[in-house]
Structure formats: structure tokens, C-alpha cells
Amino acid sequence: MILSIEDLSIRSRERTIVDGVSLTVREGEFMALVGQSGSGKSLLSQAIGQLLPSNLRAAGKVLFEGDNLLDYDLREMRTLRGRRLSYIFQDYQGAFTPFRSIGAHFDEYQKIHGEKSKTVRRDKAAEALESVGLDAALLRRYPFQLSGGQLQRTAIATALLLSPRLLIADEATTALDSVSGHRVLELLARKQQETGCAILFITHDWRHVRRYADRLAVMKEGRIVESGGKHRILDHPQHEYTRRLIEAAPVLGRSLRSGLEQEEQA
Amino acid sequence: MKTAYAHRRILRSVPASMKHRLQAGAAALFALLVIGASIYTFMILKHDPTLTDLRGRLLGASTLHPLGTDHLGRDVLTRLLLGSTQTLGYSLLALGTALVIGIPFGLLAGYRRGWVDRLFMRIADGFLAFPDTIVAIVLSGLLGAGIGNLVLAIVLVKWVSYARLVRSTVLSESQKDYVAIARTHGLSDARIMSRHLLPHIAGHVLVLASLDLGKIILLISSLSYIGLGAQPPTPEWGAMLNDSRPYFQSRPELMVYPGLAIVSVVLLANMLGDYLRDRFDVKKEAQP
Amino acid sequence: MSRPISESRDSLFAAQTLAPDAQQGVGTADAYAAERAPVSAGALPPVLLVDGLTRTYAGAQLPAVRSVSFALGRGECLGLVGESGCGKSTLARCLLRIEEADAGSIMLGGQDIAPLRGRKLRPHRRKIQIVFQNPAAALNPRLRIEDSLLDPYLQLGREAKLSHFAYTSRDAYVRRLLEAVELPAELAGRYPHELSGGQRQRVTIARAISIEPEVLVLDEPTASLDVISQGAVLDLLTGLRRSLGLSYLFISHDLAAVHRMSQRIMVMRSGEIVDQFEAEDLFSEERHPYTQELISIF
């Protein structure tokens, strides 16, 4: 159990947005959190790394490798973020400072986390870019010179640079079209195989859930309505809302919703 | 001109809800003032504002002359109130003319793009190169001093800012899908401009115009003060200020009255502008 | 379980002409036969016939749309799938005459509208309408819903003899349109920002069908909606096509949605149509490699 969220609530002054959610992510698994926009799934993911906007308060427990992250102070959180836990966001353009080159981003990131040698930093950055299928020459480019898919790959390279144990991908493919989104996700799954890090993947796209998730949780209006193994939920949803959500998305229909060719023998 | 915005610094310390009420109050007061002054001057005018009476010059306040008389024996209150219609009237005339020229110019340039846009905007840039005061002084030098030439000078300088504002709004709006769709509905360009684009512009233009009004009032007054605007015996505030200058030692209130009038009208006009800007804040409206 | 796909894919017309497609995934012997055969497979001529349409942007080396040709049968839904930047939106804008094609013809109801301009073009505009991806941008934020709905009628409606949405009074007309897209009548007086994304998209659909076009171009109509509204809007569109006898050009990057909606599918890449086939032949071995790559993604 790498991450265990227990009875987490997120409130603004007026209302409760996330209401008593419990969720676990196991070591090395691909966990999907599915829900419509406004269900609170993004806020939940932000609460893990204390990234909530200042007008929101989180209460409950977020146990990461046994420690409650909500008790961490800012300095402790900063050392944790990036090293043990990192994020990829939907907005790939906002994830990079427009007037700094890609290389400068990698360099600064490593410097903050204590890598002193300049040549090591440079070599590591080039290696990281190549590991996500990009040319090391891109280090000299600026963010606006890269396509959306390239930027999101770069974001993955940055996020995995210090081999975190948990990667939180918040709608990482939503802003990309289906083909480049697919390629980015394929890469993410491959990197997971290589590094063995756990992924909490927040999405509303069943396609990706079907293909890559081990387990999933469905969120609606701040609560988890259903969670469990992928095949169980996709092929035999218990909750009415889950059923509606699954049926709303068209599939290329040859197989079961979960992507299996036939029912698994229980 | 920076001082014209002094009220913003003061308002910043006021809570937002109260600030709105203050601004709305100021806007209402401004409207009342304009209406009141014009009613007064046309309905219950007791004195001829240009009638000189050298025996009754520089009189103090009395029931007959509530604010006394000036150096030529004219009633100060009457001149002050008539001055409001003068100053405001010419300011509005200048503003209106600038709008009438600027809006179609900007609409056409922004919607047509291409060479029309380039031509229009080079012309506009040319006008923009001259500061308003310089243009006013040059025009007075060429065509003679007078309020008409002053208005002309203001129009020449001001229309450009409206044309540019309208153009930039139209440039971005006409890229939006709803304009493309209006075209598939067979709407003519003129119809698209009037039905779909003009309403977008109206808010922006109104805000800019009301903020400009204060500046124009100030400009007319200050140029009249140095003798380039309204000519005697027209009761214009800037000119009145100038007229009373020699009597500054003995009758300082003769300068204080028009000065106060200018300051308060400019302030109110600016508050009206701020109020309209908050009301028509497009970004706020677009939020779902 | 999901309902059979064939149910949502047949239409008034296609039901009579296309073979029932019960056997999903079994490729027919000659998958390209349909492409070569007349679209309507009968006496009816295609409602839209595009030939050699090309559009090159100023300064670009390659055309955004290169020599695209296809036919759209009456009552048919023709899918167009491709990645972003492949030229599918440019194609749509050229068909609608929002952008001008450099070459090619657009036969709409037997008349080539490509060379027409101004007054000559206007009567033909009614026959083809479009629904865009982002309904927030497609509605003028300063017009009430009812005014947006009336826009097409004011210009094009009077000339046409409308049967489904006959104009008796302003209110009745607006109410009838809102009803057709399953929206409550009280939305008429609202502004676009007061509606949800799904509701807004329904309004743009109502506006597009108000003047009873023959062809409706749907350019990613569900891409900006959340999952549940997506399904509902697709259902609505299928229902409208059947009840009004509309023909759709359904453009999307979502192959699953295209497959669900369309009888025939075209695949576009770098401005060209690289593959064109009956929907039931999607899983055939003879598909273009790029089509197969797309399938593998979904």
C-alpha cells in the first residue's frame, strides 16, 4: 500500500466539495479515478501533494508510505514532491515557463533536488528526454516550439526524473487529440513497467481505463460511488451512475467493455 | 492628468460593496447635476450671463447674487451653471463626433482585415503621433483660437483611440465561431457587424468614452484657461478661472468656484466611468 | 450491456438499402466496392457531391486539404475521422463556404456552389449547416437563446417553405425548436453562459436544423462535452437524422463515436482521404495501415 487516503474531506467556506473519500493505491499499480468534470476528482489529487488552492481545506488522512502528508510542513512537502511523489497535469502549456528552454527546466529541477554537477545534470536531462522517445536536441528549444504531445512527454520525463514511487496524472491526455493522447499514455504505461512506480490516473476517458488500469474508482459529486477491479466494474457495474457513465461512451464493439474478448472465469 | 484619478487611490481602501454603491451614487449625482444645471439655466435663469454692470462689479454674496459678481459685474452662479452646459456640451460634442468617426472606421478595419485594415491603421497611427494639447495649440495657431477649433482638435486626436479599440475587439470577436455561423446563415456583412459585433463593442466604448469625458472636460477647461478655447464673454469654467486671476488677492473665491466645478465634474465623470467599467466587465459576464 | 450497434446506425433510408450488419468485425470480400458504387444505391442522387476540393493556406508548403472527393447520400451519416491538424475542420469550413477552397466543386442538390458568391450563394446556404465543437464560442454571448435561434430564420427562413418548424409566431417557433432538441421552453430567455455545455450544444443543433437544411456538418460536436452529455447528444443527433431525414457529415477524432454514428467512414490524414469504407468493414483485413493503427488505439 503506497498511498492510503482515509476519510478525506475538502471544504471551502461555503460547502463540502469532497466528502469523506477513502481510496488506496497499491505498490506499482495503475489506479484510475474516473468521474465527470466537477466531481471533485482533481481536487482530491491536488490534496495529496498539498496543492489545493488556499481557500480550500483538507481534513482526514493521506497516508503516503505510512506518513500522513496533511501533517507535513511546506519544507517537508517540497522534498517529498518530485522525489517520492510527482504530478503531470492536463495543461501542458502551463507546466512550462514559456521564456525558458526545456533544458533550463530540467537543470533547475535537478539543482533544487541537490544535483551539484552541471555535466551530470546535462547528461541526465538528455537521457530522460531520450527515454520518452524525444531527441535530446529538444533541450535547446523553447516550450512553444514543441507540439502538445511532445510537451506532455517532456512533462512525463521531468516527473519521472527522480524515480518517484507515485505518479499522479491529472487528466494528462485530455487536452491532446485521441491519437497523440494514446501515444502519451502508451509511453506512461511503458515507463511504469520500467520503473515500477504506482500511477494514480485521473480521467473521464474510459478508453484509457479499459486499456491500462488495474483497478478503478468512480467518483460523483465528491464521493466514491464504486471502486474495485477493472473487469468487475466495467463489465458488471453495481452502481446505476457507473452504468450510465460507461454506457454514455461509445466503444468500438467487438469485445466486452473491459477489453476482454470474453468473460473472465471467476 | 494623473490627479484626475486620485479618487481611485482613495476608493481602494473602501470595501468593494461600498465602493460600488459610492460609484453608483456618483454616477447618479453626475446625471442629476447635468439635468439640474440645464433645467436651471433654461427655466429659472434670473440674470443674463453676459450682461456687464461695472457699478456692481466684484460684489460679495447676497440674495440677488448668491455667489456674488465678477470683475465685470456678471452674476457668478449664473455663469457657473451655464458654464456647465458649455463645458459639458462641447465635451460631449467632441466625444460624440470622435465616436461617430472612430466606430465605423474600427469596425471596417477589424472585420475586413487585409489592405483596408493596413491603410486605416496607418492613418490612425499618423494621428496618434501628436499629443492632444499640441494639436489643439497648432490648430488654434492655424485657424485662430475658439471653442470650435478646440473641439475639432479633440476629435482629431480622440477618434483614433476609439477606432483602435473597436478594431481590436472586432479582430478577436470576428474570429469566433458564431460569426462564421452567422455567415452560413446568409447574414450580410453589414448585418453581422450591426447584430453580432456592435453589441460587443458598445460596452467597451461606453466605458472608454466616460473615462475620456473627464479628460476632455479638463482639456477644454485648461486650454480655455490659456486662451485657446472659449473666447470671452462665453461663460466657460477655464476662461472664468483665467478672468478671475488678477483678483486672486482680493476675491480668491472667484477662482475657487470654477476650480471646484471643474474638479467635481471631472471626478464624477471618472467615477461614472469606473462604475460603467465594472458593470460592463465582459470577462465577468462570460463566466458561466 | 451495450445495445447492438446496428440499432443506432440504421436510418430510414439506409435500413432499406444496406445489409443488416449483425456480423461485426467480419470483413467483406470487397471492402472498396461500396466506395465505387453509387452512394444511394438506388435512384436517388447524392445530396452532396464533393470533387477535388483543395485548400492551401498562404505560406504553407502543403495543402491543408488535398483533392478531397466524396459523396453523401440522402439520409446517410458519413463519418470523417482523423487526428487534429489533418485538415478535417478546414474541409468543413470550405464546404460551408466560411473559407474559400482553391479548387474543386461542391455539388449541393445538383448545383455547384463553389464558384457562387454573395447574392447568388445565399439561397444555397440554407441547404447546408454546421455544428461546431465548442458551443460556447458558437453562440453570441450577448444574444438570448431565442434570438440566436431566430438568426437563421430571419435571413434564410422566409424563402424556404419550412414544414417541420413552420413559423407561426416567434414564441411558438422557438418553443418548437427547443422541444426538438429536448430542452425546456423556459431556456428561451436565458443567455448562453447560464446554460450547461450540453444544453448549449443542443441549442446550436436546434439553430442548425431550424431552417431545415439537407446536409448537417458536425465538426466534433461532442468533443467539448462531458461523457454523459456526449452520449445524450449523439442519441439526439441520431434521432433527428431519422425524423427529419437529414444527411450528416460527422467529423471526429473519436473513431468509436464515428463508428457508432455512421454508415460509411472516411479516414483523413495530412489533408487527404486515405481510406473509405462501409462501417461494418471497419475491422476488415483490407483496411489502410493507418486505419488499423487508429483501430488499435480504441
Side-chain angles (χ1 to χ4, degrees):
Chain A
M1 208 70 71
I2 187 156
L3 178 77
S4 166
I5 297 174
E6 289 170 19
D7 198 27
L8 181 75
S9 296
I10 300 174
R11 295 191 185 88
S12 69
R13 204 177 294 173
E14 296 86 23
R15 59 195 192 94
T16 303
I17 303 164
V18 171
D19 191 5
V21 164
S22 296
L23 183 78
T24 55
V25 181
R26 296 176 193 153
E27 199 79 49
E29 79 168 342
F30 196 118
M31 173 79 185
L33 180 59
V34 188
Q36 287 184 273
S37 48
S39 62
K41 56 188 197 301
S42 282
L43 287 178
L44 181 69
S45 75
Q46 289 166 19
I48 297 168
Q50 289 190 11
L51 295 175
L52 286 177
S54 57
N55 60 331
L56 298 178
R57 289 275 166 273
K61 274 188 188 158
V62 177
L63 297 173
F64 180 72
E65 298 178 321
D67 286 355
N68 187 358
L69 295 189
L70 295 184
D71 294 340
Y72 271 35
D73 64 23
L74 277 178
R75 206 178 46 83
E76 287 172 312
M77 202 68 225
R78 265 202 301 271
T79 25
L80 184 83
R81 278 199 302 248
R83 247 173 216 291
R84 313 286 300 156
L85 163 74
S86 53
Y87 278 91
I88 309 171
F89 296 104
Q90 171 177 359
D91 177 17
Y92 48 80
Q93 264 143 354
F96 294 90
T97 314
F99 50 82
R100 308 192 63 194
S101 70
I102 300 294
H105 282 88
F106 274 100
D107 198 57
E108 186 190 28
Y109 191 67
Q110 294 181 76
K111 213 147 79 183
I112 289 170
H113 286 286
E115 179 55 65
K116 296 211 169 53
S117 155
K118 193 161 182 174
T119 41
V120 171
R121 290 202 302 261
R122 207 170 37 219
D123 292 347
K124 265 194 150 180
E127 197 183 305
L129 264 195
E130 277 160 3
S131 80
V132 293
L134 294 175
D135 194 335
L138 292 186
L139 284 174
R140 279 195 298 277
R141 300 265 191 94
Y142 286 86
F144 66 89
Q145 295 171 308
L146 272 61
S147 75
Q150 285 175 325
L151 279 178
Q152 203 59 297
R153 277 160 188 270
T154 312
I156 292 176
T158 325
L160 294 177
L161 196 61
L162 302 170
S163 357
R165 297 315 300 150
L166 175 65
L167 178 67
I168 298 174
D170 186 359
E171 302 265 11
T173 57
T174 308
L176 302 170
D177 78 77
S178 55
V179 179
S180 32
H182 166 74
R183 290 189 189 127
V184 163
L185 211 63
E186 212 169 37
L187 168 75
L188 197 60
R190 187 162 56 75
K191 295 302 285 184
Q192 184 190 26
Q193 297 279 307
E194 286 169 23
T195 60
C197 78
I199 294 180
L200 177 59
F201 186 75
I202 289 131
T203 187
H204 62 251
D205 193 335
W206 285 117
R207 212 152 46 85
H208 302 322
V209 176
R210 202 162 63 228
R211 190 175 287 249
Y212 297 106
D214 300 313
R215 290 189 310 130
L216 66 103
V218 179
M219 199 161 171
K220 185 200 182 196
E221 289 160 12
R223 291 164 193 271
I224 302 263
V225 297
E226 195 168 357
S227 65
K230 168 175 69 173
H231 299 299
R232 208 279 285 150
I233 293 195
L234 282 170
D235 296 331
H236 309 284
Q238 301 292 310
H239 197 279
E240 174 56 31
Y241 177 73
T242 316
R243 201 171 4 252
R244 269 177 59 210
L245 207 57
I246 293 172
E247 273 170 16
V251 283
L252 270 186
R254 267 195 302 185
S255 48
L256 290 172
R257 288 277 175 181
S258 65
L260 287 183
E261 293 292 338
Q262 55 182 318
E263 290 276 343
E264 243 179 8
Q265 296 307 309
Chain B
M1 293 246 171
K2 275 244 165 72
T3 49
Y5 295 112
H7 68 286
R8 284 199 194 147
R9 229 168 301 140
I10 302 161
L11 279 177
R12 220 169 284 155
S13 55
V14 179
S17 61
M18 208 158 109
K19 183 171 139 191
H20 266 100
R21 242 173 289 156
L22 261 174
Q23 286 179 343
L29 195 66
F30 182 76
L32 271 181
L33 197 88
V34 176
I35 298 167
S38 19
I39 290 177
Y40 179 85
T41 42
F42 291 113
M43 307 289 288
I44 28 179
L45 198 61
K46 275 190 273 183
H47 303 277
D48 182 341
T50 56
L51 181 74
T52 55
D53 175 11
L54 288 178
R55 275 172 305 170
R57 64 196 287 258
L58 296 172
L59 290 179
S62 64
T63 42
L64 186 60
H65 302 291
L67 296 180
T69 58
D70 69 357
H71 65 292
L72 294 174
R74 297 171 296 197
D75 181 58
V76 171
L77 181 63
T78 309
R79 286 179 64 79
L80 214 52
L81 287 170
L82 253 188
S84 78
T85 50
Q86 285 280 333
T87 312
L88 267 175
Y90 283 117
S91 302
L92 289 173
L93 176 68
L95 198 59
T97 318
L99 286 176
V100 165
I101 300 173
I103 291 177
F105 227 84
L107 259 176
L108 223 63
Y111 187 75
R112 287 268 181 217
R113 293 157 191 264
W115 68 268
V116 182
D117 184 32
R118 281 197 293 277
L119 178 68
F120 277 27
M121 283 304 118
R122 287 303 81 77
I123 296 174
D125 287 345
F127 279 97
L128 211 60
F130 302 100
D132 41 12
T133 335
I134 305 286
V135 173
I137 293 170
V138 168
L139 267 184
S140 307
L142 289 174
L143 307 172
I147 193 84
N149 291 336
L150 183 53
V151 167
L152 182 65
I154 291 172
V155 169
L156 282 181
V157 177
K158 284 289 173 195
W159 75 270
V160 180
S161 57
Y162 294 102
R164 295 185 72 96
L165 173 75
V166 168
R167 171 183 172 266
S168 65
T169 312
V170 169
L171 269 182
S172 66
E173 281 302 316
S174 60
Q175 281 297 298
K176 299 227 171 114
D177 286 346
Y178 69 85
V179 174
I181 284 180
R183 230 173 286 161
T184 73
H185 294 152
L187 267 64
S188 61
D189 288 351
R191 191 93 185 255
I192 289 176
M193 283 190 249
S194 66
R195 183 173 166 91
H196 286 287
L197 295 175
L198 209 51
H200 277 277
I201 296 157
H204 294 278
V205 166
L206 202 61
V207 172
L208 181 65
S210 55
L211 288 172
D212 260 357
L213 185 59
K215 286 188 207 162
I216 294 176
I217 294 170
L218 216 53
L219 192 63
I220 290 185
S221 300
S222 45
L223 288 173
S224 296
Y225 176 77
I226 59 172
L228 291 178
Q231 298 301 306
T234 321
E236 199 282 332
W237 292 339
M240 286 169 73
L241 208 58
N242 190 29
D243 288 346
S244 345
R245 211 160 28 92
Y247 312 96
F248 175 61
Q249 303 266 321
S250 52
R251 293 292 311 283
E253 68 269 31
L254 285 183
M255 285 188 82
V256 172
Y257 295 142
L260 264 180
I262 294 170
V263 168
S264 48
V265 166
V266 169
L267 218 61
L268 288 175
N270 281 327
M271 287 175 93
L272 171 75
D274 283 355
Y275 170 70
L276 288 175
R277 190 192 49 200
D278 290 354
R279 274 295 314 271
F280 285 93
D281 196 343
V282 185
K283 279 190 218 98
K284 238 188 266 171
E285 221 174 84
Q287 291 297 323
Chain C
M1 265 326 290
S2 67
R3 81 189 88 83
I5 288 170
S6 57
E7 182 191 316
S8 56
R9 267 223 324 271
D10 58 14
S11 73
L12 288 176
F13 170 72
Q16 303 151 15
T17 54
L18 298 175
D21 46 7
Q23 295 161 303
Q24 286 294 315
V26 182
T28 54
D30 184 2
Y32 291 94
E35 190 186 329
R36 293 190 293 271
V39 182
S40 318
L44 288 172
V47 58
L48 176 68
L49 190 66
V50 174
D51 189 27
L53 201 73
T54 300
R55 159 92 170 132
T56 311
Y57 286 109
Q61 292 187 325
L62 292 172
V65 172
R66 189 174 356 169
S67 193
V68 165
S69 304
F70 64 89
L72 175 64
R74 206 166 285 276
E76 181 188 38
C77 179
L78 174 60
L80 175 61
V81 68
E83 289 177 63
S84 61
C86 75
K88 52 196 200 301
S89 287
T90 304
L91 172 63
R93 295 173 78 88
C94 288
L95 293 181
L96 267 292
R97 295 294 306 274
I98 300 166
E99 276 178 32
E100 296 305 324
D102 306 322
S105 65
I106 306 167
M107 298 290 283
L108 185 61
Q111 164 82 42
D112 184 6
I113 63 162
L116 300 181
R117 296 271 180 279
R119 242 171 254 286
K120 287 229 173 74
L121 175 64
R122 196 171 299 165
H124 298 282
R125 287 227 187 247
R126 188 190 67 79
K127 298 181 205 154
I128 185 163
Q129 290 290 308
I130 190 164
V131 173
F132 281 121
Q133 168 174 1
N134 182 359
L139 292 168
N140 186 339
R142 283 167 198 275
L143 287 188
R144 289 176 199 279
I145 297 303
E146 52 189 346
D147 290 316
S148 279
L149 285 176
L150 273 164
D151 226 17
Y153 180 81
L154 293 178
Q155 205 64 44
L156 298 175
R158 290 177 208 284
E159 305 142 30
K161 303 232 181 317
L162 304 184
S163 53
H164 292 282
F165 304 105
Y167 189 97
T168 48
S169 76
R170 185 192 155 95
D171 279 353
Y173 179 72
V174 169
R175 216 173 320 119
R176 177 77 191 83
L177 280 174
L178 288 174
E179 201 180 288
V181 292
E182 295 156 19
L183 285 178
E186 63 261 27
L187 293 188
R190 305 259 181 92
Y191 285 96
H193 67 91
E194 298 174 283
L195 272 59
S196 72
Q199 287 176 325
R200 269 180 275 192
Q201 193 61 295
R202 283 166 190 269
V203 171
T204 67
I205 292 169
R207 178 176 61 183
I209 61 172
S210 66
I211 42 178
E212 297 175 9
E214 289 163 19
V215 177
L216 195 54
V217 177
L218 304 162
D219 188 0
E220 304 264 12
T222 59
S224 67
L225 307 179
D226 66 62
V227 185
I228 288 192
S229 319
Q230 278 184 16
V233 165
L234 290 183
D235 285 339
L236 172 76
L237 285 168
T238 302
L240 287 173
R241 182 167 60 82
R242 290 189 196 161
S243 59
L244 302 178
L246 291 165
S247 310
Y248 289 166
L249 178 63
F250 183 82
I251 301 173
S252 178
H253 66 242
D254 184 348
L255 183 59
V258 167
H259 186 245
R260 169 182 159 180
M261 293 287 288
S262 320
Q263 283 98 51
R264 284 187 310 129
I265 299 173
M266 300 189 288
V267 179
M268 193 166 184
R269 187 186 201 185
S270 310
E272 287 180 303
I273 306 284
V274 295
D275 204 357
Q276 197 169 147
F277 48 88
E278 302 283 327
E280 55 260 44
D281 297 335
L282 175 64
F283 300 109
S284 155
E285 300 294 311
E286 293 161 47
R287 289 282 68 80
H288 189 278
Y290 181 65
T291 312
Q292 298 198 355
E293 189 189 338
L294 283 179
I295 295 171
S296 74
I297 288 172
F298 283 87

